Amino acid sequence: MPEDKLDLLGPIMNDIGHELAHIVGGDPDGIFLYAEIGDGWVRPSIFKDEGDLVRWYDPTDAYLSDLLFKAWYLEPEAPNMRWSVLEYAIVDKKFHVSMKYPEEVNVDKIDPERRRKALRARFGDKPVIYPPPPKGAFELKP
């Protein structure tokens, strides 16, 4: 008997939680993953609530992206059947997942405001701390 999609998706979501805990260096409570995905690309953003502030974490390798693709490819390939945004939060040692589909959001058009709105909805007005730019980076000005 073939497995139900949720029987396959649950363990992948659990693996995503373990990878997120690894990325933040331990306690996963307060993690929020916002990921946009499409055919051949994925943009994960990892944040952790640290009380008075929220810290951004950079995935250090491709394993998280691989897990996100694995979950995404479980959906049928038919138009608009695969989710385009995944919001994944860990609260009290339990993960909570919500997905948005192409008819709700067009991720083919890059819009940083989508992620900012998701962060405000999750964390309110808490400041978000990003690491400093790498040495040698420069800013382009118009």
Side-chain angles (χ1 to χ4, degrees), residues 32-34 45-48 54-56 87 112-130:
F32 175 62
L33 167 67
Y34 177 85
S45 297
I46 304 164
F47 300 89
K48 186 159 191 308
V54 175
R55 188 169 310 276
W56 177 81
E87 293 183 17
E113 190 58 30
R114 285 191 299 262
R115 183 179 76 174
R116 281 193 283 272
K117 284 181 183 176
L119 283 173
R120 276 194 300 274
R122 170 81 37 198
F123 300 115
D125 290 330
K126 287 186 183 183
V128 179
I129 306 300
Y130 294 90

Side-chain angles (χ1 to χ4, degrees), residues 95-106:
F95 68 82
H96 306 269
V97 176
S98 67
M99 299 167 182
K100 294 182 182 170
Y101 291 82
E103 64 270 7
E104 298 172 274
V105 61
N106 178 8

Side-chain angles (χ1 to χ4, degrees), residues 7-112:
D7 291 336
L8 299 171
L9 189 59
I12 296 170
M13 291 296 163
N14 191 54
D15 290 346
I16 288 171
H18 285 286
E19 179 61 10
L20 292 170
H22 171 75
I23 290 168
V24 303
D27 181 17
D29 199 43
I31 289 176
F32 175 62
L33 167 67
Y34 177 85
E36 294 184 357
I37 192 166
D39 194 24
W41 61 270
V42 63
R43 285 188 299 268
S45 297
I46 304 164
F47 300 89
K48 186 159 191 308
D49 188 343
E50 295 185 357
D52 293 338
L53 59 88
V54 175
R55 188 169 310 276
W56 177 81
Y57 287 85
D58 188 16
T60 54
D61 61 35
Y63 186 58
L64 178 62
S65 294
D66 292 345
L67 289 170
L68 291 167
F69 277 124
K70 194 173 181 180
W72 191 69
Y73 281 115
L74 285 177
E75 300 289 349
E77 194 172 352
N80 298 334
M81 293 295 289
R82 288 186 174 151
W83 47 272
S84 53
V85 172
L86 175 82
E87 293 183 17
Y88 182 112
I90 299 177
V91 179
D92 295 328
K93 299 182 182 180
K94 295 178 183 172
F95 68 82
H96 306 269
V97 176
S98 67
M99 299 167 182
K100 294 182 182 170
Y101 291 82
E103 64 270 7
E104 298 172 274
V105 61
N106 178 8
V107 295
D108 291 329
K109 179 183 173 202
I110 295 174
D111 181 2

